[in-house]
Short mmCIF file of all heavy atoms in Angstrom, two decimals:
data_model
loop_
_atom_site.label_atom_id
_atom_site.label_comp_id
_atom_site.label_asym_id
_atom_site.label_seq_id
_atom_site.Cartn_x
_atom_site.Cartn_y
_atom_site.Cartn_z
N GLY A 317 72.53 132.11 39.61
CA GLY A 317 72.70 130.72 39.23
C GLY A 317 73.27 129.83 40.31
O GLY A 317 73.53 128.65 40.06
N LEU A 319 73.29 128.01 44.32
CA LEU A 319 72.39 127.47 45.33
C LEU A 319 72.97 127.88 46.68
O LEU A 319 73.98 127.36 47.11
CB LEU A 319 72.26 125.95 45.21
CG LEU A 319 70.92 125.38 45.71
CD1 LEU A 319 70.68 123.99 45.13
CD2 LEU A 319 70.85 125.34 47.21
N GLY A 408 53.39 119.92 32.35
CA GLY A 408 54.01 118.63 32.08
C GLY A 408 55.51 118.64 32.27
O GLY A 408 56.08 117.71 32.86
N SER A 409 56.16 119.71 31.81
CA SER A 409 57.62 119.78 31.96
C SER A 409 58.03 119.93 33.41
O SER A 409 59.04 119.37 33.86
CB SER A 409 58.19 120.93 31.12
OG SER A 409 57.73 122.19 31.59
N LEU A 410 57.23 120.67 34.19
CA LEU A 410 57.56 120.85 35.60
C LEU A 410 57.32 119.58 36.41
O LEU A 410 58.10 119.26 37.32
CB LEU A 410 56.75 122.01 36.18
CG LEU A 410 57.20 123.40 35.72
CD1 LEU A 410 56.21 124.46 36.15
CD2 LEU A 410 58.60 123.72 36.26
N LEU A 411 56.25 118.85 36.11
CA LEU A 411 56.01 117.59 36.81
C LEU A 411 57.11 116.58 36.48
O LEU A 411 57.51 115.78 37.32
CB LEU A 411 54.64 117.03 36.44
CG LEU A 411 53.44 117.77 37.03
CD1 LEU A 411 52.14 117.16 36.55
CD2 LEU A 411 53.50 117.79 38.55
N ASP A 412 57.63 116.65 35.26
CA ASP A 412 58.77 115.81 34.91
C ASP A 412 60.00 116.22 35.70
O ASP A 412 60.75 115.37 36.20
CB ASP A 412 59.04 115.90 33.41
CG ASP A 412 60.23 115.04 32.99
OD1 ASP A 412 60.14 113.81 33.12
OD2 ASP A 412 61.25 115.61 32.56
N LEU A 413 60.20 117.52 35.85
CA LEU A 413 61.36 118.03 36.60
C LEU A 413 61.34 117.52 38.04
O LEU A 413 62.39 117.15 38.59
CB LEU A 413 61.36 119.56 36.59
CG LEU A 413 62.51 120.22 37.37
CD1 LEU A 413 63.77 120.29 36.51
CD2 LEU A 413 62.11 121.63 37.83
N VAL A 414 60.16 117.50 38.66
CA VAL A 414 60.07 117.10 40.07
C VAL A 414 59.78 115.61 40.24
O VAL A 414 59.59 115.13 41.35
CB VAL A 414 59.02 117.95 40.83
CG1 VAL A 414 59.37 119.42 40.74
CG2 VAL A 414 57.61 117.69 40.32
N GLY A 415 59.72 114.88 39.11
CA GLY A 415 59.55 113.43 39.18
C GLY A 415 58.18 112.96 39.59
O GLY A 415 58.03 111.90 40.20
N LEU A 416 57.13 113.72 39.23
CA LEU A 416 55.78 113.37 39.67
C LEU A 416 54.78 113.31 38.51
O LEU A 416 53.57 113.49 38.72
CB LEU A 416 55.29 114.37 40.73
CG LEU A 416 56.02 114.29 42.08
CD1 LEU A 416 55.60 115.45 42.97
CD2 LEU A 416 55.77 112.96 42.77
N THR A 417 55.26 113.05 37.32
CA THR A 417 54.37 112.96 36.16
C THR A 417 53.27 111.93 36.38
O THR A 417 52.09 112.17 36.06
CB THR A 417 55.17 112.61 34.90
OG1 THR A 417 56.16 113.62 34.68
CG2 THR A 417 54.28 112.50 33.69
N ARG A 434 57.54 118.72 46.80
CA ARG A 434 58.02 118.79 45.42
C ARG A 434 56.98 119.43 44.50
O ARG A 434 57.32 120.18 43.58
CB ARG A 434 58.41 117.41 44.93
CG ARG A 434 59.74 116.92 45.51
CD ARG A 434 59.80 115.41 45.66
NE ARG A 434 59.64 114.70 44.40
CZ ARG A 434 59.44 113.38 44.32
NH1 ARG A 434 59.38 112.64 45.44
NH2 ARG A 434 59.31 112.80 43.16
N VAL A 437 57.26 123.09 44.95
CA VAL A 437 58.39 123.64 44.20
C VAL A 437 57.98 123.83 42.74
O VAL A 437 58.26 124.87 42.13
CB VAL A 437 59.62 122.71 44.31
CG1 VAL A 437 60.72 123.17 43.35
CG2 VAL A 437 60.14 122.70 45.74
N LEU A 441 57.73 127.34 40.54
CA LEU A 441 58.51 127.54 39.32
C LEU A 441 57.64 127.79 38.09
O LEU A 441 58.16 128.10 37.01
CB LEU A 441 59.38 126.31 39.05
CG LEU A 441 60.52 126.04 40.05
CD1 LEU A 441 61.11 124.66 39.80
CD2 LEU A 441 61.59 127.12 39.95
N LEU A 448 64.32 131.33 43.27
CA LEU A 448 63.43 130.49 44.08
C LEU A 448 63.93 130.51 45.51
O LEU A 448 65.09 130.16 45.78
CB LEU A 448 63.43 129.05 43.55
CG LEU A 448 62.60 128.05 44.37
CD1 LEU A 448 61.12 128.41 44.31
CD2 LEU A 448 62.83 126.62 43.88
N GLY A 463 65.86 113.75 50.44
CA GLY A 463 66.85 113.76 49.36
C GLY A 463 66.22 114.10 48.02
O GLY A 463 66.82 114.81 47.20
N ALA A 464 64.99 113.63 47.78
CA ALA A 464 64.30 113.92 46.53
C ALA A 464 63.94 115.40 46.43
O ALA A 464 64.01 116.01 45.36
CB ALA A 464 63.05 113.07 46.40
N VAL A 465 63.56 116.01 47.56
CA VAL A 465 63.25 117.45 47.57
C VAL A 465 64.50 118.24 47.22
O VAL A 465 64.47 119.18 46.40
CB VAL A 465 62.70 117.87 48.94
CG1 VAL A 465 62.50 119.38 48.99
CG2 VAL A 465 61.38 117.17 49.25
N LEU A 466 65.63 117.90 47.83
CA LEU A 466 66.88 118.61 47.55
C LEU A 466 67.33 118.41 46.11
O LEU A 466 67.84 119.33 45.46
CB LEU A 466 67.98 118.14 48.51
CG LEU A 466 67.73 118.43 49.99
CD1 LEU A 466 68.87 117.88 50.84
CD2 LEU A 466 67.55 119.92 50.24
N ALA A 467 67.12 117.20 45.59
CA ALA A 467 67.49 116.93 44.20
C ALA A 467 66.69 117.81 43.25
O ALA A 467 67.21 118.28 42.22
CB ALA A 467 67.28 115.46 43.87
N VAL A 468 65.41 118.06 43.57
CA VAL A 468 64.58 118.92 42.74
C VAL A 468 65.10 120.35 42.75
O VAL A 468 65.16 121.03 41.71
CB VAL A 468 63.11 118.86 43.22
CG1 VAL A 468 62.30 120.02 42.67
CG2 VAL A 468 62.49 117.53 42.83
N LEU A 469 65.50 120.85 43.91
CA LEU A 469 66.06 122.20 43.99
C LEU A 469 67.34 122.30 43.17
O LEU A 469 67.57 123.30 42.46
CB LEU A 469 66.34 122.58 45.45
CG LEU A 469 65.11 122.67 46.36
CD1 LEU A 469 65.53 122.96 47.79
CD2 LEU A 469 64.14 123.73 45.86
N ASP A 470 68.16 121.27 43.24
CA ASP A 470 69.40 121.26 42.47
C ASP A 470 69.12 121.21 40.97
O ASP A 470 69.79 121.85 40.16
CB ASP A 470 70.26 120.07 42.90
CG ASP A 470 71.72 120.24 42.53
OD1 ASP A 470 72.18 121.40 42.42
OD2 ASP A 470 72.41 119.23 42.32
N ARG A 471 68.10 120.45 40.57
CA ARG A 471 67.73 120.37 39.15
C ARG A 471 67.19 121.72 38.67
O ARG A 471 67.45 122.13 37.52
CB ARG A 471 66.69 119.29 38.92
CG ARG A 471 67.21 117.86 39.04
CD ARG A 471 66.16 116.86 38.58
NE ARG A 471 65.95 116.93 37.14
CZ ARG A 471 65.02 116.24 36.49
NH1 ARG A 471 64.20 115.43 37.16
NH2 ARG A 471 64.88 116.36 35.18
N ALA A 472 66.43 122.41 39.50
CA ALA A 472 65.91 123.72 39.11
C ALA A 472 67.05 124.68 38.83
O ALA A 472 67.01 125.46 37.86
CB ALA A 472 65.01 124.28 40.23
N ARG A 473 68.08 124.62 39.66
CA ARG A 473 69.26 125.46 39.43
C ARG A 473 70.00 125.03 38.17
O ARG A 473 70.35 125.85 37.32
CB ARG A 473 70.17 125.38 40.67
CG ARG A 473 71.44 126.23 40.60
CD ARG A 473 72.65 125.44 40.10
NE ARG A 473 72.94 124.31 40.96
CZ ARG A 473 73.78 124.37 41.97
NH1 ARG A 473 74.41 125.48 42.26
NH2 ARG A 473 74.02 123.28 42.68
N ALA A 474 70.24 123.73 38.01
CA ALA A 474 71.06 123.23 36.91
C ALA A 474 70.35 123.29 35.56
O ALA A 474 70.96 123.65 34.55
CB ALA A 474 71.50 121.79 37.21
N GLU A 475 69.06 122.93 35.52
CA GLU A 475 68.36 122.81 34.25
C GLU A 475 67.59 124.05 33.85
O GLU A 475 67.40 124.31 32.66
CB GLU A 475 67.41 121.61 34.31
CG GLU A 475 68.13 120.28 34.53
CD GLU A 475 67.18 119.09 34.57
OE1 GLU A 475 66.05 119.21 34.05
OE2 GLU A 475 67.58 118.04 35.11
N LEU A 476 67.13 124.83 34.83
CA LEU A 476 66.36 126.03 34.52
C LEU A 476 67.15 127.31 34.73
O LEU A 476 66.69 128.40 34.38
CB LEU A 476 65.08 126.08 35.38
CG LEU A 476 64.13 124.88 35.26
CD1 LEU A 476 62.93 125.08 36.17
CD2 LEU A 476 63.70 124.66 33.82
N GLY A 477 68.34 127.21 35.33
CA GLY A 477 69.16 128.39 35.58
C GLY A 477 68.64 129.27 36.69
O GLY A 477 69.01 130.45 36.80
N VAL A 478 67.79 128.70 37.55
CA VAL A 478 67.19 129.48 38.65
C VAL A 478 68.20 129.63 39.79
O VAL A 478 68.90 128.68 40.15
CB VAL A 478 65.92 128.77 39.17
CG1 VAL A 478 65.33 129.51 40.36
CG2 VAL A 478 64.89 128.66 38.05
N THR A 479 68.28 130.83 40.34
CA THR A 479 69.06 131.05 41.56
C THR A 479 68.22 130.57 42.74
O THR A 479 67.06 130.98 42.88
CB THR A 479 69.38 132.54 41.73
OG1 THR A 479 70.12 132.99 40.59
CG2 THR A 479 70.21 132.78 42.99
N VAL A 480 68.79 129.70 43.58
CA VAL A 480 68.03 129.09 44.68
C VAL A 480 68.61 129.54 46.01
O VAL A 480 69.82 129.43 46.24
CB VAL A 480 68.04 127.55 44.59
CG1 VAL A 480 67.24 126.95 45.74
CG2 VAL A 480 67.47 127.09 43.25
N ARG A 492 74.83 118.76 51.07
CA ARG A 492 74.40 118.05 49.86
C ARG A 492 74.28 118.93 48.64
O ARG A 492 74.57 118.50 47.53
CB ARG A 492 73.08 117.33 50.11
CG ARG A 492 73.19 116.17 51.08
CD ARG A 492 71.92 115.36 51.14
NE ARG A 492 71.61 114.73 49.85
CZ ARG A 492 70.71 113.77 49.70
NH1 ARG A 492 70.06 113.33 50.74
NH2 ARG A 492 70.48 113.26 48.51
N VAL A 493 73.82 120.19 48.81
CA VAL A 493 73.46 120.95 47.60
C VAL A 493 74.01 122.37 47.51
O VAL A 493 73.93 122.97 46.43
CB VAL A 493 71.92 121.01 47.44
CG1 VAL A 493 71.33 119.64 47.22
CG2 VAL A 493 71.24 121.71 48.61
#
Side-chain angles (χ1 to χ4, degrees):
L319 208 161
S409 65
L410 287 170
L411 288 178
D412 180 65
L413 179 83
V414 302
L416 291 172
T417 300
R434 285 150 60 191
V437 171
L441 293 170
L448 176 65
V465 175
L466 297 179
V468 164
L469 296 177
D470 200 28
R471 288 189 70 185
R473 181 265 300 268
E475 298 181 20
L476 303 180
V478 177
T479 301
V480 180
R492 292 189 63 166
V493 296

